[in-house]
Amino acid sequence: MRPVTTGSLIGWTALSAVIPGAAHLRAGKRTAGFVLLVVFGAVLAGLVVFGLQLTQNAGVALRDSTLNAVMIGAAVCALAWFALILFSFMALRPSRLPRGGQVVAGIMVGVLCIAVTAPFAFTASTVKTANDLLDAVTAPDIASPGVTASPIRAEDPWNGRKRVNFLLLGGDAAGNRIGVRTDSMTVASVDIASGNTVLISLPRNLQYVRFPPSSPLHKQFPNGFDAEGQGLLNSVWYYADNNPQVMGGKNRGAQALRDAISYTLGLHIDYYAIVDMFGFAALIDAVGGLKIRVERDVKWGGHFGTAGTIKAGYRQLDGEQVLWYGRSRVDSDDYSRMARQRCVIGAMAQQITPATFLANFTKIAAAARHMFRTDIPRDLLEHLVPLGLKVKAAKITSLQFVPPLIYSGDPDWKKIRTLTTEAIRESTADTGTVAADATAGATPSATKTKKPRATPTSNQDAAKSLDELCGF
């Protein structure tokens, strides 16, 4: 073998980090060189197969077993590449170099060892963060109190359902409040076959909601929820959490609100997810903001909007701006705010791509750990990924119960159910899917409301697409 210079020794060692066995072949150790090449080829083939499996079912990446395997694999690869660099360096016999060359080559190879192990260490750390996050925010093997958990079967994760209904909540636990008030309440009713989705928004000030006979609050409020003198829907969670003697246990707020909304819409709520409003701003910042069409100036802060103004037009909004775009009631009302909140949800569905998510994962994980809670079982997450991709490419329509369609102080419960059923039927009409769950459950009580009923309004054109509503 021809003598090597300091530069060529460093170069061949570096090449071995990319093509294992190159340094051994240069040193005349052909058997070792070819073995390393074959092993490297087998590893690459295995990674390609694994990648193809993920492209066919991206949800597999969220399995606990998959994440653990990736962590272990990354650790093994870090050690293997570290050893590879050292053995490749030694195979080239650096002792033949002058003393100065040996020092320079040794330093450079040491730096190279650290450089090749860093990506594997970063991968292992990121995957561990993801695994811990999923364990922290998802439900354990048992469901919410009072709800019987169904096993998640790979062949039919939805247990024969044609629709799945998610209750999406924005919880406001600001410093000037005691407890959580759910100021944003939207049901996402998703057709499993097509991904077509109806976003059904309920106003925070919907009054005197009823509870099913199975709920402890049915006996407490037989004529409708009227706690705190007003009985606003956004107080149901707060009331249940603060009256465990009525609910039969602590931390039953989610179940109480689930019961109320299920009974109101005539839909079985399968899962809920709650986001802390102020943590939500950090999440939006983590993905680089959202592009939103602001129809008119939105002022925020106090009663007169002295803290800031979000100008009309197509805007790239940061986390704080998106938060106040969805929350501000200055020169506005709850119903306008509901419409803006649905536009925020729609913008997130369209603009947060898998690439954006992965590129900002560490920031997203840090924000989500402190702002997100759900009763979705961990084992179901892998099946939510393909469903989410369907939703992203499908038709999303929106329905909100606001005047003159529905008067929040004097709700027409039968009309709310009818509108919900019609919106779901129209959403699935082009797929031939029958919304069987849309009429599930008992009809809410027809008990006379506390105020004269408003003049009936037309049921037509109640649901709109987000493209129409938000200008996407």
Side-chain angles (χ1 to χ4, degrees), residues 325-362:
Y325 173 78
R327 296 185 74 241
S328 178
R329 291 196 294 271
V330 178
D331 296 332
S332 184
D333 55 30
D334 283 329
Y335 312 118
S336 298
R337 186 172 77 153
M338 288 167 56
R340 296 196 302 268
Q341 288 169 353
R342 293 201 316 284
C343 290
V344 169
I345 294 174
M348 291 179 66
Q350 290 191 353
Q351 296 173 33
I352 299 180
T353 64
T356 301
F357 183 85
L358 291 174
N360 299 280
F361 178 76
T362 302

Side-chain angles (χ1 to χ4, degrees), residues 123-192:
T123 298
S125 176
T126 301
V127 171
K128 185 179 186 306
T129 299
N131 213 14
D132 291 345
L133 172 65
L134 295 177
D135 283 338
V137 303
T138 56
D141 293 336
I142 58 173
S144 300
V147 179
T148 302
S150 300
I152 306 300
R153 297 174 297 155
E155 65 276 12
D156 183 16
W158 310 109
N159 290 315
R161 286 170 290 184
K162 295 181 178 180
R163 303 195 69 81
V164 60
N165 301 306
F166 301 94
L167 176 57
L168 310 177
L169 305 169
D172 189 348
N176 62 345
R177 288 188 173 185
I178 300 174
V180 175
R181 308 283 180 145
T182 51
D183 280 354
S184 172
M185 291 162 283
T186 300
V187 173
S189 183
V190 183
D191 177 67
I192 294 172

Side-chain angles (χ1 to χ4, degrees), residues 22 24 30 67 111 136 218 252 276 291 321 421 438 451 465:
H24 287 76
R30 296 183 177 277
L67 295 176
V111 171
H218 176 77
R252 301 293 176 90
D276 172 72
K291 293 180 181 178
Q321 291 171 326
T421 302
K451 298 180 181 180
S465 72

Side-chain angles (χ1 to χ4, degrees), residues 438-452:
T439 55
T443 302
S445 169
T447 305
K448 187 176 180 180
T449 54
K450 300 188 176 184
K451 298 180 181 180

Side-chain angles (χ1 to χ4, degrees), residues 4-17 23 78 80-95 97 100-118:
V4 294
T5 63
T6 301
S8 64
L9 188 145
I10 294 172
W12 279 102
T13 304
L15 181 62
S16 293
W81 251 257
F82 186 90
L84 173 66
I85 297 300
L86 287 180
F87 285 119
S88 297
F89 179 63
M90 297 305 296
L92 293 168
R93 297 169 60 190
S95 59
L97 295 175
Q102 293 180 32
V103 171
V104 172
I107 292 174
M108 294 302 297
V109 170
V111 171
L112 184 60
C113 286
I114 296 174
V116 297
T117 58

Side-chain angles (χ1 to χ4, degrees), residues 8 53 112 120 146 188 197 214 236 265 276 309 354:
S8 64
Q53 289 179 339
L112 184 60
F120 297 111
T197 299
S214 58
V236 170
L265 300 180
D276 172 72
T309 301

Side-chain angles (χ1 to χ4, degrees), residues 106-449:
I107 292 174
M108 294 302 297
V109 170
V111 171
L112 184 60
C113 286
I114 296 174
V116 297
T117 58
F120 297 111
F122 176 77
T123 298
S125 176
T126 301
V127 171
K128 185 179 186 306
T129 299
N131 213 14
D132 291 345
L133 172 65
L134 295 177
D135 283 338
V137 303
T138 56
D141 293 336
I142 58 173
S144 300
V147 179
T148 302
S150 300
I152 306 300
R153 297 174 297 155
E155 65 276 12
D156 183 16
W158 310 109
N159 290 315
R161 286 170 290 184
K162 295 181 178 180
R163 303 195 69 81
V164 60
N165 301 306
F166 301 94
L167 176 57
L168 310 177
L169 305 169
D172 189 348
N176 62 345
R177 288 188 173 185
I178 300 174
V180 175
R181 308 283 180 145
T182 51
D183 280 354
S184 172
M185 291 162 283
T186 300
V187 173
S189 183
V190 183
D191 177 67
I192 294 172
S194 67
N196 286 356
T197 299
V198 182
L199 296 177
I200 306 167
S201 296
L202 296 102
R204 60 185 288 277
N205 61 345
L206 189 69
Q207 292 180 278
Y208 317 125
V209 290
R210 271 71 170 166
F211 299 92
S214 58
S215 170
L217 294 181
H218 176 77
K219 183 177 180 180
Q220 184 77 5
F221 302 104
N223 296 320
F225 182 67
D226 61 359
E228 302 180 343
Q230 292 181 306
L232 303 182
L233 181 60
N234 79 324
S235 297
V236 170
W237 184 308
Y238 171 85
Y239 179 87
D241 273 357
N242 286 276
N243 292 274
Q245 74 283 359
V246 175
M247 290 299 299
K250 297 181 179 180
N251 302 317
R252 301 293 176 90
Q255 186 55 43
L257 187 60
R258 181 205 299 264
D259 287 343
I261 292 178
S262 293
Y263 202 53
T264 298
L265 300 180
L267 288 176
H268 174 73
I269 302 298
D270 298 290
Y271 306 103
Y272 84 90
I274 184 168
V275 175
D276 172 72
M277 288 293 191
F278 291 92
F280 177 74
L283 177 65
I284 297 301
D285 283 334
V287 298
L290 291 177
K291 293 180 181 178
I292 291 178
R293 186 188 70 171
V294 182
E295 287 192 349
R296 63 189 67 180
D297 288 0
V298 177
K299 297 181 179 180
W300 56 272
H303 295 289
F304 304 102
T306 56
T309 301
I310 301 169
K311 295 293 186 179
Y314 282 95
R315 303 293 179 195
Q316 178 77 20
L317 304 183
D318 62 23
E320 183 180 33
Q321 291 171 326
V322 170
L323 173 65
W324 286 110
Y325 173 78
R327 296 185 74 241
S328 178
R329 291 196 294 271
V330 178
D331 296 332
S332 184
D333 55 30
D334 283 329
Y335 312 118
S336 298
R337 186 172 77 153
M338 288 167 56
R340 296 196 302 268
Q341 288 169 353
R342 293 201 316 284
C343 290
V344 169
I345 294 174
M348 291 179 66
Q350 290 191 353
Q351 296 173 33
I352 299 180
T353 64
T356 301
F357 183 85
L358 291 174
N360 299 280
F361 178 76
T362 302
K363 294 179 182 178
I364 292 172
R369 192 178 186 90
H370 300 289
M371 58 161 275
F372 189 75
R373 207 183 341 156
T374 183
D375 66 346
I376 297 174
R378 172 72 188 269
D379 290 344
L380 187 63
L381 292 183
E382 65 176 276
H383 305 289
L384 280 179
V385 172
L387 182 62
L389 294 175
K390 280 186 182 179
V391 171
K392 187 175 178 62
K395 178 175 68 175
I396 301 177
T397 52
S398 176
L399 173 65
Q400 61 175 338
F401 298 119
V402 299
L405 192 66
I406 296 293
Y407 289 89
S408 58
D410 180 28
D412 184 336
W413 306 114
K414 182 177 180 180
K415 184 175 182 180
I416 287 175
R417 274 181 163 253
T418 300
L419 291 171
T420 300
T421 302
E422 289 179 354
I424 290 175
R425 183 181 297 118
E426 291 171 4
S427 173
T428 57
D430 58 348
T431 65
T433 303
V434 179
D437 290 344
T439 55
T443 302
S445 169
T447 305
K448 187 176 180 180
T449 54

